[in-house]
Amino acid sequence: MESPYLLRQARIERITRLTEKERLFRLVFEDDKTLGHVPGQFIMLSIFGAGEAPISVSSPPDTRNEFEICVRVVGSLTNVLHTLLKGSTVGIRGPYGKGFPVKEIENKDILLIAGGIGLVPMRSLIKTILLKRGAYGRITLLYGVKSPEDILFKDELDEWSKVPDFDLRITVDKPHPLWKGHTGVVTRYLPELKIDAERTAAVIVGPPVMYKYVIMGLGEKRIAGHEIFLSLERRMKCGIGKCGHCQINSVYICQEGPVFRLSDIRRLREAI
Amino acid sequence: MDYRFLPKKGLSLFVDGLLKDFKVYGPVKMDGFPVYEEVSSAKELLLMHSPSHITPKKYLFPQRETLLRFKTGEKPQVEHAADADNQVLFGIHPCDIHAIRLLDRVFAYGTPDVNYLRRREKTIIIGTECLPDKFCFCRSVNTMTAANDFDLFIHDIGAGFLVKIGTEKGKELLFRHVKTRKATIKEISKLVEFHKKKESMFTASINAEPSTLPLIYSGSYDSPVWEEIGKICYGCGSCNLVCPTCYCFDVRDDISLNMKDGERYRVWDGCLLEDFAKVAGGHNFRKTRGERLRHRFNRKFQFQVDKFGGLFCVGCGRCSRACLVNINIVEITNKLIEERETGKKE
């Protein structure tokens, strides 16, 4: 029997500074095996001496032995990660959890709502969808950030906005004088969206505070609870359903989530 | 089931025999309190007592346990740590035998926990009878006796010991070290008599059938009880620490001063502690002590029941005994039962 805490080592191949607080890391495994993830899954990232933390994968599934994570400096491990240079080695275990239902939402219009670093796991989904663009209907991405400086993946957002039938709306909470785009919270722009509720699947990823309001907004658009998917963030220490930190009632987020169907958790107290 | 009779003086011979191949841990008195410690002779054992303050789970799921050892540097090296000795847990009470059965399930399901399972495999469990105190309520949750999940079960019947054989491994150890004979019906009936006597000794009891408790708890999410006890709770986590079925943990790293090597270890954590459900951004998913208490109580009577089957409270009363502000699990449960029966939430 092998210890579930053993790691695969990966080398940091590229570091891209996205904002003051977020960097994108391209990681390549020392062995030649792929990560084998689906969009929405997460890994446990570890740096010896600094510890481990759950981090969502930001790149689409890849046949090569590499993948990307985008990390905000927010805790002790992420602080250390941001000091590492290209060529450094980190430890990876996973992927863990259940991801987005990529197959199930084929042939549907896709409404994506991301808040802040919620765009990080969402990017893995968007890129996966775009690789098979013809299999999906209209795509709408509603992306809310605090200020224009916090916008992640600016170049890619630009590219996506040029994809046929891809409606991109970025809104900022605290605009500066040069900002010409949308302002305010993402829910403000839900009413004006033209949505065919019968053929739409919605995906939400954002900070805890966002979910309640977005869910209310989607309800007004008459999107059914079983067509809404969301990714829940919780503290995690093991990733394998033992340590208890991510538990909501009898549900372990690391096992049954982090992606859930709204209708499965609407009545799960403490979930949203 | 096979019952043997072990003469009085056979016990110390048996323990001496076990000590040749195993570390032996048993209940002893320390500063006036019953605790489990390593023993070197049968004389030290406290074989008829109320529950220990800290549970014997510490020998299967240590308070601090190394998971990995690593060397840092350009090419870090890492190896799995699984240090486990052959050990005998001698004098485990029925409640704790049930608790170990539950932990076995938890650590084996899904991704198996190698550290626990390896240690468990090297462990012999020898049960013993006990005396309930005012906090004990195992009678109310069907854990007053243990029918299996032990290797041997020893009960003092005056002239000697009645030894119940639980496993082949247990039988082999007994036969290897001491001479026993088949117990008589009269001797076996002494255990039944003891159970009757024990049953009459409880002062604490839950006023509902154990099988109804998950339903009672699921209906009491909005009970005012949680806020009431949340107001007096210190959030100290003592209840987590002493509980035989609490198994939550944190994973941390320790690194040597030269930064060249270190270890990744796990350490007991508790859902009553403020940081338990707090994420890196600062958001706390169970911010109030009332919410955290509700989570812990529900883990015992509802959440883990859905996941693993069977109540996760074994009635040892340790949480009530350890609580600094006298939050009592039996009283709280009875209050919820009463609220449900009267439909009244005061």
Side-chain angles (χ1 to χ4, degrees), chain B residues 290-344:
Chain B
E291 288 168 326
R292 299 200 291 275
L293 282 161
R294 179 175 61 199
H295 181 73
R296 187 182 124 79
F297 277 73
N298 272 288
R299 257 178 77 102
K300 303 302 159 194
F301 293 105
Q302 188 200 167
F303 301 161
Q304 306 315 84
V305 182
D306 284 346
K307 215 155 176 58
F308 302 105
L311 296 182
F312 257 62
C313 175
V314 294
C316 66
R318 286 184 175 99
C319 53
S320 311
R321 216 175 273 118
C323 185
L324 300 170
V325 294
N326 300 324
I327 294 173
N328 185 299
I329 195 164
V330 174
E331 285 170 18
I332 299 304
T333 305
N334 284 340
K335 209 162 179 184
L336 299 179
I337 295 165
E338 198 191 320
E339 278 176 4
R340 188 177 173 92
E341 280 169 357
T342 59
K344 212 168 48 189

Side-chain angles (χ1 to χ4, degrees), chain B residues 48 131-132 144 190-202:
Chain B
M48 187 58 82
L131 292 171
M144 194 188 85
K190 291 216 166 162
L191 183 59
V192 183
E193 280 163 30
F194 178 79
H195 285 157
K196 272 198 194 126
K197 186 179 141 204
K198 184 165 140 183
E199 207 170 350
S200 69
M201 290 169 76
F202 290 89

Side-chain angles (χ1 to χ4, degrees), chain A residues 121-235:
Chain A
M122 193 75 99
R123 175 178 179 256
S124 172
L125 176 66
I126 294 169
K127 290 194 151 201
T128 305
I129 288 175
L130 292 183
L131 284 170
K132 221 177 156 185
R133 179 69 191 94
Y136 300 87
R138 281 174 42 220
I139 301 171
T140 307
L141 170 59
L142 209 52
Y143 174 36
V145 284
K146 273 201 186 118
S147 67
E149 293 78 36
D150 298 320
I151 298 172
L152 298 169
F153 306 111
K154 284 195 183 93
D155 299 345
E156 294 180 12
L157 286 165
D158 256 4
E159 262 175 53
W160 299 341
S161 68
K162 288 172 197 147
V163 172
D165 283 331
F166 194 119
D167 182 4
L168 170 68
R169 296 174 197 218
I170 303 175
T171 172
V172 303
D173 260 356
K174 295 176 198 143
H176 54 50
L178 295 174
W179 177 254
K180 294 200 184 68
H182 302 289
T183 58
V185 291
V186 283
T187 40
R188 208 169 138 183
Y189 297 91
L190 278 173
E192 69 186 45
L193 292 179
K194 284 203 187 76
I195 289 168
D196 181 352
E198 304 263 303
R199 50 163 299 155
T200 298
V203 178
I204 321 168
V205 192
V209 58
M210 196 184 91
Y211 288 106
K212 201 171 116 193
Y213 299 101
V214 172
I215 289 165
M216 276 158 52
L218 293 178
E220 275 162 32
K221 299 302 259 186
R222 301 204 173 136
I223 299 178
H226 69 267
E227 296 292 355
I228 299 172
F229 300 90
L230 37 107
S231 179
L232 299 183
E233 181 197 11
R234 287 297 185 276
R235 187 184 179 114

Side-chain angles (χ1 to χ4, degrees), chain B residues 63-341:
Chain B
Q63 195 262 336
R64 184 195 190 286
E65 176 173 29
T66 306
L67 299 172
L68 302 175
R69 292 199 177 84
F70 57 81
K71 284 187 174 33
T72 58
E74 210 157 292
K75 289 267 170 281
Q77 286 166 19
V78 57
E79 58 171 33
H80 173 217
D83 315 321
D85 292 323
N86 289 324
Q87 58 182 359
V88 174
L89 307 187
F90 204 114
I92 305 299
H93 297 178
C95 58
D96 285 330
I97 291 173
H98 283 278
I100 291 170
R101 167 179 56 82
L102 293 166
L103 292 183
D104 287 351
R105 288 207 64 185
V106 165
F107 286 108
Y109 105 105
T111 308
D113 189 283
V114 186
N115 287 68
Y116 178 93
L117 296 176
R118 197 166 290 174
R119 198 169 262 117
R120 181 68 180 87
E121 214 177 78
K122 293 188 164 191
T123 303
I124 300 289
I125 292 174
I126 301 180
T128 188
E129 272 305 337
C130 53
L131 292 171
D133 68 4
K134 64 175 180 174
F135 295 104
C136 290
F137 62 101
C138 54
R139 188 188 55 169
S140 300
V141 287
N142 291 341
T143 54
M144 194 188 85
T145 59
N148 33 37
D149 303 300
F150 50 77
D151 295 286
L152 294 171
F153 195 95
I154 291 188
H155 178 57
D156 192 342
I157 52 169
F161 297 91
L162 183 69
V163 185
K164 208 165 158 183
I165 310 281
T167 62
E168 274 306 308
K169 213 153 77 174
K171 185 180 181 178
E172 192 274 318
L173 279 173
L174 184 72
F175 281 42
R176 192 199 309 169
H177 296 299
V178 281
K179 279 207 177 79
T180 59
R181 61 162 170 79
K182 204 169 159 51
T184 62
I185 300 285
K186 209 177 158 195
E187 283 159 353
I188 297 170
S189 66
K190 291 216 166 162
L191 183 59
V192 183
E193 280 163 30
F194 178 79
H195 285 157
K196 272 198 194 126
K197 186 179 141 204
K198 184 165 140 183
E199 207 170 350
S200 69
M201 290 169 76
F202 290 89
T203 52
S205 80
I206 289 179
N207 304 328
E209 282 300 311
S211 58
T212 63
L213 295 176
L215 199 63
I216 283 158
Y217 268 85
S218 71
S220 66
Y221 193 93
D222 296 311
S223 165
V225 161
W226 307 121
E227 205 186 316
E228 278 163 30
I229 56 175
K231 275 186 196 150
I232 59 167
C233 170
Y234 290 156
C236 69
S238 295
C239 49
N240 294 129
L241 192 75
V242 299
C243 178
T245 67
C246 268
Y247 59 88
C248 290
F249 57 87
D250 194 4
V251 177
R252 299 177 193 166
D253 282 8
D254 247 0
I255 192 156
S256 61
L257 278 176
N258 63 18
M259 303 282 276
K260 281 185 180 151
D261 47 58
E263 58 181 39
R264 177 157 296 162
Y265 63 98
R266 69 170 159 210
V267 57
W268 292 355
D269 207 344
C271 61
L272 258 299
L273 301 175
E274 194 181 1
D275 284 353
F276 188 79
K278 201 185 212 173
V279 289
H283 187 89
N284 194 340
F285 289 95
R286 279 186 291 275
K287 210 170 172 176
T288 69
R289 291 185 298 272
E291 288 168 326
R292 299 200 291 275
L293 282 161
R294 179 175 61 199
H295 181 73
R296 187 182 124 79
F297 277 73
N298 272 288
R299 257 178 77 102
K300 303 302 159 194
F301 293 105
Q302 188 200 167
F303 301 161
Q304 306 315 84
V305 182
D306 284 346
K307 215 155 176 58
F308 302 105
L311 296 182
F312 257 62
C313 175
V314 294
C316 66
R318 286 184 175 99
C319 53
S320 311
R321 216 175 273 118
C323 185
L324 300 170
V325 294
N326 300 324
I327 294 173
N328 185 299
I329 195 164
V330 174
E331 285 170 18
I332 299 304
T333 305
N334 284 340
K335 209 162 179 184
L336 299 179
I337 295 165
E338 198 191 320
E339 278 176 4
R340 188 177 173 92
E341 280 169 357

